[in-house]
Amino acid sequence: MDPTNHVGKPDHVAQVQLYFLLMSERYKSNITNGLLYYLKPDTLVESKYERKFLQPLIVARNRIVTSQKILNGEFINLPRAIMNPRICENCEHRLTCSLLIR
């Protein structure tokens, strides 16, 4: 697999599904499809809203939030992010970690 070909990667699909949810809520409209443009390999990909992709993301987000304790307005008991691109790029927790770092 060509490492520059990111078309259809699960994290990209997940991000678009979350955008569908946010846009639907923001504009009080049912957003059912969108477009993803990849600079490399100069590809435009249509993406359709699919609840089966969105539901696990919301469940994972809720699991993270409910498993944390808040002390003085800050989350505690989280492992420190290692911020090493070589290790992080293949980590199964990179989506969760990136949400917590931001």
Side-chain angles (χ1 to χ4, degrees), residues 1-9 38 40-41 43:
M1 178 178 189
D2 179 5
T4 61
N5 184 2
H6 301 293
V7 176
K9 285 182 69 177
Y38 291 92
K40 293 180 182 177
T43 305

Side-chain angles (χ1 to χ4, degrees), residues 13-22 24 31 48-62:
V13 173
Q15 185 174 7
V16 171
Q17 295 301 313
L18 289 172
Y19 282 136
F20 287 148
L21 179 66
L22 292 170
S24 293
I31 308 294
K48 296 190 181 298
Y49 171 79
E50 295 189 49
R51 184 177 178 90
K52 70 180 182 181
F53 290 121
L54 190 59
Q55 190 170 2
L57 293 172
I58 293 172
V59 169
R61 181 257 178 216
N62 291 343

Side-chain angles (χ1 to χ4, degrees), residues 32-89:
T32 58
N33 59 6
L35 297 172
L36 267 172
Y37 176 66
Y38 291 92
L39 295 174
K40 293 180 182 177
D42 190 28
T43 305
L44 192 62
V45 178
E46 183 177 8
S47 184
K48 296 190 181 298
Y49 171 79
E50 295 189 49
R51 184 177 178 90
K52 70 180 182 181
F53 290 121
L54 190 59
Q55 190 170 2
L57 293 172
I58 293 172
V59 169
R61 181 257 178 216
N62 291 343
R63 190 176 306 140
I64 291 167
V65 170
T66 58
S67 70
Q68 304 307 311
K69 297 178 183 173
I70 299 179
L71 178 65
N72 297 327
E74 294 186 28
F75 288 112
I76 60 170
N77 80 1
L78 294 174
R80 188 176 64 79
I82 59 174
M83 305 297 289
N84 181 324
R86 185 169 179 216
I87 294 172
C88 294
E89 105 182 344

